[in-house]
Amino acid sequence: MYLYLSTAELAYTMRVTEKTDVYSFGVVTLEVVMGRHPVELVSSLSYSTTDLNVLLKDVMDCRLALPAAQAADMLLLAVRVALKCLSSDPQSRPSMMQVCQELTSRYTPSAPKSFHSTTLSEIMDAEM
């Protein structure tokens, strides 16, 4: 599935670019957080944001305990960056340099609410 999602864009554009790699990074990051391939989530990002009113804690891998405050902040940051990488418009995606800077320059993101009540749409709306 992962290869299908990243190669679909490649098949359409017939070009390998940094933005294709950024997209793949977003897919892999969400796959790690969710414990499964995020195919439904990635598809919903392409069509509408109404499906993104789900809580982050509800899409996380259920085999893992919910993170404590410090880890929750880092997880919110990683998910926010991953979601930005999945923009359907390649030009709207961050560069890998921006992704690296975002992940290393700040210790915690500015979360709109507590981790337990944060939706994916709120994470996407946060500035990068």
Side-chain angles (χ1 to χ4, degrees):
M1 288 289 207
Y2 159 69
L3 290 176
Y4 170 75
L5 287 171
S6 58
T7 57
E9 181 175 77
L10 175 61
Y12 178 70
T13 63
M14 298 303 290
R15 292 184 332 179
V16 176
T17 66
E18 178 193 16
K19 299 298 185 165
T20 306
D21 289 343
V22 167
Y23 183 89
S24 297
F25 173 81
V27 171
V28 170
T29 301
L30 288 180
E31 190 168 3
V32 169
V33 170
M34 296 174 70
R36 58 182 158 59
H37 193 278
V39 67
E40 296 89 12
L41 178 60
V42 171
S43 295
S44 68
L45 290 173
S46 300
Y47 299 110
S48 74
T49 58
T50 57
D51 295 338
L52 298 178
N53 287 326
V54 63
L55 296 174
L56 173 60
K57 70 179 184 92
D58 292 339
V59 297
M60 284 183 47
D61 189 340
C62 63
R63 298 169 291 183
L64 302 175
L66 291 177
Q70 183 178 2
D73 287 341
M74 292 187 301
L75 181 63
L76 282 169
L77 175 61
V79 170
R80 183 169 50 86
V81 170
L83 290 172
K84 298 291 184 190
C85 291
L86 297 177
S87 172
S88 58
D89 176 18
Q91 299 307 316
S92 297
R93 296 176 196 151
S95 66
M96 278 311 291
M97 178 67 79
Q98 290 170 311
V99 168
C100 291
Q101 288 173 343
E102 186 71 14
L103 292 174
T104 59
S105 68
R106 272 196 294 215
Y107 183 65
T108 59
S110 54
K113 300 191 254 184
S114 76
F115 175 83
H116 300 289
S117 61
T118 301
T119 65
L120 294 178
S121 60
E122 291 170 327
I123 294 170
M124 284 195 67
D125 290 342
E127 287 297 316
M128 181 166 157

